[in-house]
Amino acid sequence: MPRAKSDKDRKIFVLDTSVILYAHNSIMNFAEHDVVIPITVLEELDQFKKGNDTKNFEAREFIRLLDTLSKDQMIHHWTPLNGKTRGFFKVLMNPENAMNANVIFGEEKNDHKILNAALHLQQTEKNRRVILVSKDINLRLKAKSLDIHAEDYETGKIKNLEELENTGKYVLEGIGQEIINQIYEYNSVEAKHVLGTRKRKANAYYILKSEKNSVLAYYNAEDNTMERVDKKLAYNIKPKNAEQTFAMHAILNPRVKLVSIQGVAGTGKTLLALAGALEQRRDYKQIFLARPIVPLSNKDIGYLPGDIKSKLNPYMEPLWDNLKFIQNQFKESDKEYQKITEMVNQEKLVIQPLAYIRGRSLSNIFFIVDEAQNLTPHEIKTIISRAGENTKIIFTGDIFQIDTPYLDSQSNGLSYLIDRVKDHPLYAHIKLEKGERSELANLANDLL
């Protein structure tokens, strides 16, 4: 189909491989504007299409989507995207330019071929704005050095991180002493006496303060009450501050099926989740504790020596450390100590890379996902969508400590989850603020 070129308001977006591996349907999210896929991107996607990781799924789905959209059209011609309000797309073959990124940067590589595609469009579509879209910061910087407009893929990114930071816990001062006394005496009070006309957020936690004292409370949306929150032991692990107390309450609350815990290293996220899971071991068939594998320097784990178990052990070691810490709260002769060993041996408690668990049925499971900030929004959705009857999922992580190259604090799966699911009656979120690992660890977090 011929492409009308008279509409100067229509931009041309050039998509990098990283965008498609992040969201296979990204091509559909540019409103009325046009989208160009360099042929180099298709070649790279061909290398990603085999495998069980999310990036492999995204690659396969995009290739299928492109096939569906193109129908009987030649994809190097402008082809309409679905819907009257959307623009057109095409695949651009490797062009020859007077200005060649391979020559400028002194190396022939795929990133430079993608830059050449954008340069070609700037030369041939002089009346239109050409924008390279990539989640690769370095590629965006290279593009800008060539006077190519470059942007991150913004769809799904969290706009207001400050609001995200304030989700879950609130401090209310000036509460009447009689209200505080009633909560202490009866363990709850009608929410209207505390919140008044304030917006009520399901499973939100509060520090209520009067002039004399304070109380920790939780908003029970089902009963429309403010309930007192006490520090509870879970497998001999006791919360050390208000935020940890709230997190433990959410972990142990049978009404809440989905919990996210955000906090820097040493705040006790994984420890609390695992202790809470062990405390409720009789209520679930299995406990899964998993984390995504993010190899050092983003190289595949195949670079590491040894068999697959040897390759993966370093990544799982922090999870085993938490389990050992809980176990060492007891003597070796104690039944609680022996129970943990028995659960591991009988695979009632399983610590594995997330890729090994992805795809399994999650019925009657207590599922803890550590380092969830290294997951994409699609991965978070996939995990939750597999939850069956009597399953509880805990996501822990630090949205500011990203180890995956194409994610950031606004686009990672944990941020996406907190933003999209807040206020849902099945969900609770807590941010842990105070490091409790040691004074030395706090020094590192505060001063270094």
Side-chain angles (χ1 to χ4, degrees):
M1 176 180 286
R3 177 71 182 98
K5 297 184 180 180
S6 58
D7 190 353
K8 296 180 181 180
D9 292 331
R10 289 180 183 267
K11 301 172 185 175
I12 298 177
F13 290 97
V14 182
L15 300 197
D16 173 33
T17 312
S18 62
V19 175
I20 292 162
L21 293 180
Y22 178 79
H24 71 268
N25 62 344
S26 53
I27 193 174
M28 307 299 292
N29 293 327
F30 291 91
E32 75 278 11
H33 305 292
D34 298 333
V35 178
V36 169
I37 310 296
I39 189 65
T40 305
V41 170
L42 287 187
E43 292 169 354
E44 288 190 325
L45 290 175
D46 191 56
Q47 300 171 20
F48 283 105
K49 67 184 181 183
K50 294 181 180 178
N52 296 318
D53 283 350
T54 300
K55 62 185 177 183
N56 309 123
F57 166 83
E58 300 291 350
R60 290 192 294 268
E61 287 299 301
F62 177 79
I63 292 167
R64 293 189 188 107
L65 177 61
L66 213 61
D67 183 52
T68 301
L69 290 171
S70 61
K71 298 177 183 175
D72 57 349
Q73 302 285 329
M74 297 295 103
I75 59 175
H76 64 285
H77 295 146
W78 286 115
T79 302
L81 292 162
N82 287 350
K84 294 180 180 179
T85 60
R86 292 196 174 98
F88 290 63
F89 82 93
K90 73 174 180 179
V91 173
L92 183 62
M93 303 302 154
N94 289 326
E96 290 187 7
N97 300 328
M99 191 176 186
N100 189 326
N102 287 316
V103 175
I104 292 170
F105 294 112
E107 184 181 3
E108 185 167 334
K109 56 193 297 188
N110 286 342
D111 280 0
H112 299 161
K113 292 179 181 179
I114 293 169
L115 291 172
N116 280 338
L119 287 168
H120 175 78
L121 288 165
Q122 280 189 334
Q123 294 166 12
T124 57
E125 303 278 357
K126 293 184 182 296
N127 294 327
R128 304 183 65 192
R129 184 177 174 87
V130 177
I131 301 169
L132 175 66
V133 183
S134 175
K135 299 202 71 63
D136 185 337
I137 297 174
N138 196 52
L139 182 58
R140 297 203 301 268
L141 291 174
K142 282 186 173 182
K144 291 174 182 178
S145 75
L146 298 177
D147 204 25
I148 301 169
H149 296 286
E151 297 177 358
D152 192 0
Y153 178 66
E154 298 288 338
T155 302
K157 290 193 77 169
I158 310 306
K159 303 301 181 186
N160 191 341
L161 273 182
E162 185 176 343
E163 182 181 327
L164 201 68
E165 285 281 277
N166 294 330
T167 300
K169 185 202 79 173
Y170 306 91
V171 179
L172 299 183
E173 298 187 358
I175 302 296
Q177 188 61 49
E178 68 280 1
I179 298 296
I180 302 287
N181 293 341
Q182 186 175 345
I183 294 175
Y184 272 114
E185 186 174 355
Y186 300 106
N187 288 318
S188 69
V189 67
E190 286 186 53
K192 65 181 180 181
H193 298 313
V194 177
L195 301 178
T197 59
R198 293 183 183 91
K199 183 180 178 181
R200 301 179 186 190
K201 300 181 179 181
N203 303 316
Y205 289 91
Y206 294 84
I207 300 177
L208 306 178
K209 295 184 176 181
S210 68
E211 292 183 359
K212 293 183 178 179
N213 59 354
S214 63
V215 66
L216 305 182
Y218 150 79
Y219 174 57
N220 185 332
E222 188 172 326
D223 298 336
N224 202 21
T225 57
M226 298 291 289
E227 298 180 358
R228 181 182 172 188
V229 176
D230 290 322
K231 287 187 177 181
K232 288 186 178 179
L233 278 174
Y235 224 81
N236 218 31
I237 298 297
K238 185 178 182 180
K240 293 186 176 181
N241 55 52
E243 290 77 24
Q244 284 196 357
T245 303
F246 293 150
M248 187 64 82
H249 181 276
I251 293 164
L252 297 175
N253 188 346
R255 292 179 174 177
V256 176
K257 301 298 183 183
L258 179 63
V259 178
S260 60
I261 306 174
Q262 140 78 7
V264 299
T267 49
K269 307 178 296 293
T270 310
L271 180 67
L272 292 172
L274 183 52
L278 289 168
E279 186 68 24
Q280 300 170 87
R281 63 193 181 279
R282 298 179 185 86
D283 300 329
Y284 299 92
K285 181 181 177 182
Q286 274 183 309
I287 298 170
F288 283 162
L289 182 53
R291 57 169 20 189
I293 296 295
V294 183
L296 195 62
S297 301
N298 300 306
K299 289 184 176 181
D300 188 83
I301 60 171
Y303 283 83
L304 296 172
D307 59 17
I308 188 65
K309 186 175 181 180
S310 301
K311 294 173 190 288
L312 294 174
N313 273 346
Y315 298 101
M316 297 299 105
E317 204 62 43
L319 304 183
W320 288 108
D321 288 345
N322 277 284
L323 184 62
K324 273 295 179 187
F325 182 86
I326 294 172
Q327 193 171 30
N328 288 335
Q329 302 300 303
F330 306 94
K331 298 177 182 177
E332 290 188 28
S333 57
D334 290 344
K335 63 179 182 179
E336 291 87 355
Y337 185 103
Q338 295 169 359
K339 186 63 181 177
I340 291 179
T341 302
E342 179 187 320
M343 289 177 71
V344 172
N345 292 338
Q346 295 180 357
E347 295 192 347
K348 298 289 186 183
L349 192 159
V350 179
I351 295 179
Q352 282 187 340
L354 187 60
Y356 282 33
I357 293 174
R358 192 181 288 123
R360 294 183 64 171
S361 174
L362 298 179
S363 294
N364 204 21
I365 301 293
F366 195 107
F367 193 18
I368 302 168
V369 181
D370 195 34
E371 303 289 354
Q373 78 277 3
N374 289 322
L375 298 174
T376 66
H378 177 78
E379 286 175 307
I380 292 279
K381 180 179 178 180
T382 300
I383 292 167
I384 298 172
S385 65
R386 299 198 66 84
E389 287 297 318
N390 193 38
T391 285
K392 183 159 185 163
I393 304 178
I394 315 289
F395 289 100
T396 70
D398 179 6
I399 61 173
F400 298 106
Q401 187 64 47
I402 311 291
D403 302 309
T404 305
Y406 301 138
L407 297 178
D408 58 30
S409 58
Q410 293 174 280
S411 64
N412 71 87
L414 183 58
S415 293
Y416 179 83
L417 172 70
I418 298 167
D419 182 65
R420 293 300 180 93
V421 192
K422 60 188 177 188
D423 303 341
H424 194 282
L426 291 180
Y427 171 72
H429 169 72
I430 285 298
K431 179 188 175 188
L432 301 182
E433 299 173 1
K434 186 179 179 182
E436 296 290 356
R437 184 171 287 168
S438 69
E439 291 183 1
L440 188 57
N442 291 344
L443 178 151
N445 286 326
D446 295 339
L447 302 179
L448 300 181

